[in-house]
Amino acid sequence: MMKKRFCCIFMALALCIASIAPCMESSAADAERELEAKSLGPNPTYTFTSIKGTPVSTAAGSSKATILIFGSTVCPNTYHTMQSISGSSWVKDSGIRTVFAETNRASKADVETFARNYGCSSVTFCYDVGTGINTALWRYVSAGSVSSQSITLPVIVLIDSRNMIQKVTTGYKSEKEIITEVNRFKDSVKPSAPDNSAPKPGSVVTELRTKSVCKVISTGNAGGTAEYVRPSNKRSTSAQIPSTVVISGRTYAVTSIAPNAFKGNKKIKSVTIEKNVRKIGKNAFYGCKNLRKIVIKSKNLSKKSIGKNAFRGIYSKATVRVPKNKVKSYKSVFRSKGMGKKAKVKKL
């Protein structure tokens, strides 16, 4: 009798557990969905200042997802990320707002230049007029549980239209990586083909990475060619004529130095000319009396491609280093363009 009663109790208990288990699974699933919906927590509200002088709130609108990008105008990871974003077409989507916030206390003018080189009209660029941007940055880093020792700019914060923080990432991210994350909470926006608009030949821009003012000579979907016009800072004592510059997300080979590029520059002491340069305009270094060191990596220069007086008036005992198989020919060419007899041409 006791055994029969025990079996009945055991069966009833088993049925009860079986009936409760689906409820437990359902509750766990609901809790998981709720946790996912809450994500990293509510988005704090800060107000930045755009380069146009307008206030910019970090709060997302009811119909827009917001991408906050904390970066620096002198950070390679930052400008590569901005190039990628600016070359996408989702950045123009009405359901996405993209805001760049400069964290390195760059001036308004520097952020404006950065925006021209690496941004597009669909991105709002902000500069720091106090400590607001960095205060916000550390708040977001904390919300994303990112170690302060492992932060690499840019820091990218993804916020949904409910004003909830969905993700905080650090370091370079391509536009596809960013939009893939955004699509997790905004299904209407898909990765898209890059915007193929390109700067017109004759456009003059400043590239902060190489501190160069350059003019577009030819352009295409992938890039083109450019001419080095002058250094962006006339007080610099050194300058590099780079192999390439990046303009509006496209890479341009620097193939020439403009006439009068450094004419009369008394500050410049050293110049490096990279390998893609094939032409040096007349008077390019005329009157640079303190120019003592020139490094030329190009093997494509000739008497015809270097303009009149290009090296006249540089330091009389300057040292010019060139590719080893060009020492003899370049010495003759440079002297015909004004370089003094006491100057030394040596191999790299």
Side-chain angles (χ1 to χ4, degrees):
M1 186 71 178
M2 286 292 292
K3 287 183 179 180
K4 189 174 182 180
R5 184 179 297 175
F6 179 80
C7 288
C8 291
I9 293 172
F10 180 80
M11 289 178 68
L13 184 60
L15 288 170
C16 183
I17 292 173
S19 66
I20 292 173
C23 295
M24 292 175 66
E25 285 184 13
S26 178
S27 297
D30 289 344
E32 186 177 349
R33 281 193 292 270
E34 184 179 353
L35 183 62
E36 184 180 353
K38 287 182 179 179
S39 191
L40 299 178
N43 176 41
T45 300
Y46 294 92
T47 301
F48 304 151
T49 301
S50 77
I51 56 177
K52 295 182 179 179
T54 57
V56 178
S57 174
T58 60
S62 59
S63 62
K64 287 191 175 185
T66 291
I67 301 172
L68 293 180
I69 303 169
F70 293 89
S72 167
T73 59
V74 295
C75 167
N77 284 335
T78 298
Y79 58 70
H80 286 314
T81 296
M82 295 309 298
Q83 286 168 11
S84 185
I85 291 173
S86 297
S88 73
S89 57
W90 61 253
V91 73
K92 301 176 182 178
D93 186 277
S94 60
I96 292 181
R97 180 179 65 133
T98 305
V99 177
F100 173 84
E102 213 289 330
T103 65
N104 201 34
R105 303 299 297 275
S107 68
K108 179 182 177 182
D110 284 344
V111 178
E112 287 174 334
T113 300
F114 184 83
R116 285 195 298 271
N117 289 340
Y118 304 108
C120 64
S121 60
S122 299
V123 179
T124 301
F125 286 81
C126 301
Y127 70 106
D128 208 345
V129 293
T131 57
I133 286 179
N134 279 310
T135 299
L137 169 62
W138 291 112
R139 176 74 177 274
Y140 285 116
V141 165
S142 177
S145 299
V146 179
S147 170
S148 61
Q149 296 180 346
S150 62
I151 291 177
T152 301
L153 291 178
V155 173
I156 302 174
V157 184
L158 306 180
I159 305 163
D160 65 23
S161 59
R162 298 172 301 122
N163 208 34
M164 301 291 288
I165 303 172
Q166 288 287 335
K167 191 161 188 174
V168 179
T169 71
T170 67
Y172 166 75
K173 294 292 182 294
S174 71
E175 62 97 2
K176 289 186 177 180
E177 290 176 296
I178 294 170
I179 201 61
T180 296
E181 293 298 330
V182 172
N183 280 337
R184 296 182 190 278
F185 57 88
K186 188 180 186 302
D187 296 333
S188 62
V189 183
K190 305 297 178 185
S192 52
D195 179 2
N196 289 324
S197 61
K200 296 179 180 179
S203 301
V204 178
V205 298
T206 300
E207 196 203 41
L208 294 179
R209 177 178 63 94
T210 58
K211 300 178 181 179
S212 306
V213 177
C214 293
K215 181 172 69 174
V216 174
I217 302 301
S218 65
T219 190
N221 290 337
T225 59
E227 180 174 72
Y228 184 95
V229 176
R230 63 179 181 275
S232 61
N233 184 353
K234 293 183 179 180
R235 293 183 175 274
S236 294
T237 57
S238 63
Q240 179 191 30
I241 287 75
S243 290
T244 61
V245 290
V246 178
I247 303 170
S248 298
R250 294 168 175 81
T251 301
Y252 291 77
V254 179
T255 57
S256 61
I257 301 173
N260 307 313
F262 292 87
K263 184 179 180 180
N265 189 326
K266 305 297 191 299
K267 298 288 185 180
I268 200 73
K269 294 181 180 180
S270 66
V271 171
T272 298
I273 300 174
E274 294 293 343
K275 62 182 180 180
N276 286 335
V277 174
R278 296 172 175 272
K279 183 179 179 181
I280 299 176
K282 66 178 182 179
N283 301 323
F285 299 99
Y286 184 94
C288 297
K289 65 179 184 179
N290 293 312
L291 180 54
R292 297 167 176 260
K293 180 182 177 181
I294 304 174
V295 175
I296 300 177
K297 299 179 181 180
S298 171
K299 298 179 181 179
N300 301 306
L301 297 172
S302 66
K303 191 172 182 178
K304 289 184 178 180
S305 69
I306 300 178
K308 184 178 179 181
N309 294 327
F311 295 99
R312 185 171 297 280
I314 67 171
Y315 181 65
S316 61
K317 297 181 180 179
T319 298
V320 185
R321 294 196 176 272
V322 303
K324 62 181 181 179
N325 61 339
K326 291 289 182 178
V327 174
K328 185 176 180 180
S329 61
Y330 276 9
K331 182 185 293 185
S332 174
V333 170
F334 296 161
R335 284 181 177 171
S336 72
K337 302 301 177 179
M339 190 178 70
K341 292 182 179 181
K342 294 181 180 180
K344 297 179 181 179
V345 179
K346 299 181 178 183
K347 66 179 180 180
L348 283 171

